[in-house]
């Protein structure tokens, strides 16, 4: 297929749409960071092992650029975005094509905070009835997850904030117990680790803003690190 002309698979993600596993990814172009295009793959049998098929076409990318992601809303509508997340596309139910014109996102930055949602690594999800759209951006020397909150999927997105410092390049997800997390790999000198996989637990403020959760489980921390920092710290158990 068209992908064979490129060397790298870039920013892969796995999602569940209509109870089927869906992979999104992009190809890194031959000129380094130039995006070679985005791809969606859907499991043909419904089983996680596949086989997977491209519901759009195997002859060309879905879009140009990098950092593809999808999101299924409560009413079953699925949306696609990529890159900085400034444009959303409603998709047909079988994910074979875009359904209608692109949706331009409106974002309203707060004074003194980040001036945009980011420039790559788009992330879109819904929590507590609110929509969250963000992306990766460099903020005060940190490669962070910048995110805004809105009542509708097109925005306006407000409270644009550095949601997870040094946490860019990741995504948000909810576990079976209802806890929310942000994946994290660290890509700046202020990060506690560099270019390694990890997760951090997040919570939501009364105004909808994303917060790094006050209490983190010991398994995501270095041995001996406190599990709390806004309240009295509880040292984690020593590890053998």
């Amino acid at each position: 297929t068209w992908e064979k002309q490129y060397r790298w698979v870039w920013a892969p993600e796995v999602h569940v749409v209509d109870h089927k596993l869906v992979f999104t990814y992009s190809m890194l172009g031959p000129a380094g960071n130039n995006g070679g295009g985005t791809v969606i793959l859907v499991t043909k049998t419904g089983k996680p092992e596949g086989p997977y098929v491209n519901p759009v076409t195997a002859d060309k990318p879905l879009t140009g650029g990098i950092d593809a992601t999808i999101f299924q809303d409560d009413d079953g509508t699925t949306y696609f975005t990529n890159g900085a997340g400034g444009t959303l596309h409603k998709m047909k139910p079988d994910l074979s094509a875009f359904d209608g014109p692109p949706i331009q996102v409106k974002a309203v930055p707060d004074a003194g905070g980040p001036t945009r949602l980011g420039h790559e690594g788009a992330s879109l999800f819904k929590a507590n009835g609110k929509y969250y759209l963000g992306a990766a951006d460099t903020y005060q020397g940190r490669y962070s997850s910048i995110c805004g909150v809105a009542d509708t999927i097109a925005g306006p997105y407000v409270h644009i904030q550095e949601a997870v410092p040094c946490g860019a390049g990741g995504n948000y997800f909810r576990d079976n117990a209802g806890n929310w997390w942000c994946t994290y790999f660290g890509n700046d000198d202020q990060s506690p680790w560099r270019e390694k996989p990890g997760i951090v637990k997040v919570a939501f403020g009364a105004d909808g803003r994303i917060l790094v959760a006050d209490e983190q489980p010991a398994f995501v921390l270095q041995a001996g690190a406190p599990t709390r920092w806004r309240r009295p710290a509880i040292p984690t158990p020593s590890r053998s």
Side-chain angles (χ1 to χ4, degrees):
T1 69
W2 67 272
E3 297 143 300
K4 292 182 179 180
Q5 64 185 300
Y6 300 120
R7 180 174 181 180
W8 299 289
V9 173
W10 197 254
E13 298 180 2
V14 59
H15 297 266
V16 176
V17 177
D18 291 331
H19 307 289
K20 294 181 179 180
L21 286 184
V22 176
F23 282 88
T24 62
Y25 61 91
S26 48
M27 305 303 298
L28 192 64
N33 287 329
N34 293 330
T38 64
V39 188
I40 291 177
L41 293 181
V42 180
T43 176
K44 186 176 181 179
T45 62
K47 298 179 180 179
E49 61 268 28
Y52 285 82
V53 295
N54 188 326
V56 183
T57 176
D59 299 328
K60 62 181 180 179
L62 177 61
T63 69
I66 58 171
D67 297 338
T69 191
I70 59 173
F71 158 73
Q72 188 171 40
D73 208 344
D74 298 335
D75 63 0
T77 305
T78 301
Y79 296 89
F80 171 93
T81 189
N82 72 301
T87 301
L88 306 179
H89 296 273
K90 180 181 176 182
M91 300 205 71
K92 292 185 176 180
D94 61 0
L95 307 183
S96 63
F98 295 148
D99 187 5
I103 301 168
Q104 298 301 315
V105 170
K106 184 178 181 180
V108 182
D110 290 345
T115 59
R116 59 183 183 180
L117 289 169
H119 76 279
E120 62 182 2
S123 181
L124 175 62
F125 69 99
K126 193 174 186 180
N128 304 316
K130 300 285 187 179
Y131 295 92
Y132 291 84
L133 177 64
D137 211 353
T138 300
Y139 182 70
Q140 298 183 352
R142 297 177 292 272
Y143 186 61
S144 297
S145 174
I146 310 299
C147 206
V149 57
D151 292 322
T152 65
I153 196 163
Y157 285 86
V158 298
H159 302 320
I160 297 172
Q161 60 169 137
E162 184 185 30
V164 179
C166 309
N171 246 324
Y172 296 85
F173 69 95
R174 184 178 59 186
D175 66 20
N176 288 335
N179 301 305
W180 280 92
W181 306 83
C182 180
T183 60
Y184 184 117
F185 79 101
N187 196 29
D188 64 77
D189 290 338
Q190 297 183 44
S191 175
W193 67 84
R194 293 294 303 270
E195 299 172 3
K196 297 179 180 180
I199 58 175
V200 61
K201 189 176 180 181
V202 297
F204 300 92
D207 59 0
R209 296 175 191 262
I210 297 173
L211 306 170
V212 175
D214 177 64
E215 186 169 357
Q216 296 290 322
F219 76 86
V220 306
L221 301 170
Q222 296 180 3
T227 61
R228 296 177 181 174
W229 49 88
R230 287 192 292 270
R231 292 180 290 173
I234 301 175
T236 61
S238 298
R239 299 175 185 172
S240 58

